[in-house]
Amino acid sequence: MRFTSKIALVTAAGNGIGRALAERLRDEGATVWALDRDAGALASIGGVERLAMDLTDPAAIAALPAQTGPIDVLANIAGYVAAGSILDCDEADWARSFDLNVTAMYRLCRAFIPAMLERGGGAIVNMSSIASSVKGVPDRFAYGASKAAVIGMTKAIAADFVARGLRCNCVCPGTVDTPSLRERVSAQAEARHETVEATRDAFVARQPMGRLGRPEEVAALIAYLASDEAAFTTGSVNVVDGGWVN
Ligand code: NAD
């Protein structure tokens, strides 16, 4: 078991990719702190420590290390998808995207890195996306800009602490079948006056494999990056996209 005696904090653990990751790390022996603003979703995950909180609250993040103690793995999964081009993106949309996708991630890293360094290191895995500096995706303006910032933050942290045992990597998924993806499909279908099936088919058509990704397939990559098996890997941008950008 790769995570025996390791302590991991996973954000967005209530649903989708974060949930699949929390369950995988738990099953591989980790003590998992599962964090989500949705207490109901957290309640249905067994065998983890639960943290019901909103990551846009800086005081709550600052108080976290005292509650969890030092951790070995920080998996920053939470993110918000704003739809639309720059012309659709008002100040509130822009701020909301960066508040969660970038600033909360910065605060979490800053809160936990000191104790990681004191213990000789740790592993951080940040959630980016294909829609980032990897690829321009239509109608993902604020989202793509914020997920590109995640790649920059990941590389900067990796460079600063490369000689002190701390690794920092990010993952860039293509389209993954999760509750938030299903919500986006429904919202887009309504906005474009199409059927939900037609909109979903358009999302699937972006994926050359002819199917969406599964949360477990992304969680498997994150678990590898978080494990000691990836000890020689830091500052890396890991695409898991069913061949979308190939
Ligand atoms: P999801 O909706 O299935 O789950 C997200 C979880 O995050 C929910 O349980 C929600 O309650 C929680 N959450 C949202 N805002 C929060 C906040 N402010 N504080 C605490 N918890 C909060 O989402 P998902 O599709 O698994 O996406 C997870 C991450 O993966 C996101 O960063 C997303 O941008 C990224 N991603 C997803 C896809 C995809 O196609 N699904 C593709 C690329 C990247």
Side-chain angles (χ1 to χ4, degrees):
M1 297 238 276
R2 291 182 296 183
F3 293 94
T4 301
S5 78
K6 302 258 191 200
I7 303 167
L9 172 64
V10 179
T11 73
N15 289 287
I17 298 166
R19 185 186 184 105
L21 178 65
E23 291 175 342
R24 178 158 191 149
L25 296 180
R26 174 202 65 195
D27 292 347
E28 290 201 43
T31 297
V32 176
W33 290 92
L35 187 157
D36 203 289
R37 67 177 175 189
D38 181 345
L42 283 182
S44 62
I45 314 178
V48 298
E49 306 292 330
R50 301 183 186 97
L51 294 162
M53 58 168 269
D54 194 312
L55 285 169
T56 57
D57 176 354
I61 292 180
L64 267 178
Q67 197 175 348
T68 62
I71 60 174
D72 302 289
V73 172
L74 172 60
N76 283 311
I77 309 302
Y80 164 67
V81 183
S85 75
I86 188 171
L87 302 180
D88 306 305
C89 179
D90 61 17
E91 296 269 344
D93 237 10
W94 176 261
R96 190 175 168 200
S97 301
F98 276 75
D99 280 354
L100 182 60
N101 299 0
V102 184
T103 307
M105 193 179 281
Y106 142 76
R107 289 183 180 134
L108 281 157
C109 290
R110 198 155 188 270
F112 282 101
I113 284 174
M116 284 179 160
L117 293 175
E118 265 172 41
R119 281 159 42 111
I124 300 174
V125 186
N126 293 329
M127 177 57 76
S128 180
S129 172
I130 288 298
S132 62
S133 50
V134 173
K135 182 171 172 61
V137 174
D139 286 329
R140 290 290 178 268
F141 167 70
Y143 182 71
S146 66
K147 291 296 191 181
V150 170
I151 293 176
M153 179 161 38
T154 299
K155 285 178 169 288
I157 292 170
D160 281 334
F161 303 108
V162 66
R164 298 180 66 188
L166 180 76
R167 298 183 299 104
C168 186
N169 294 287
C170 67
V171 294
C172 298
T175 312
V176 183
D177 194 6
T178 63
S180 71
L181 189 267
R182 278 171 234 141
E183 277 168 30
R184 285 195 292 285
V185 168
S186 299
Q188 189 169 308
E190 199 177 317
R192 295 186 181 176
H193 307 291
E194 325 174 311
T195 63
V196 169
E197 290 70 29
T199 307
R200 190 184 153 86
D201 287 349
F203 275 87
V204 173
R206 299 195 306 202
Q207 303 297 137
M209 274 187 196
R211 69 168 177 86
L212 301 179
R214 291 189 287 272
E216 294 75 17
E217 291 171 321
V218 182
L221 175 60
I222 299 170
Y224 165 71
L225 292 167
S227 77
D228 292 341
E229 284 183 290
F232 202 51
T233 302
T234 193
S236 71
V237 179
N238 298 268
V239 166
V240 47
D241 72 341
W244 185 9
V245 296
N246 181 27

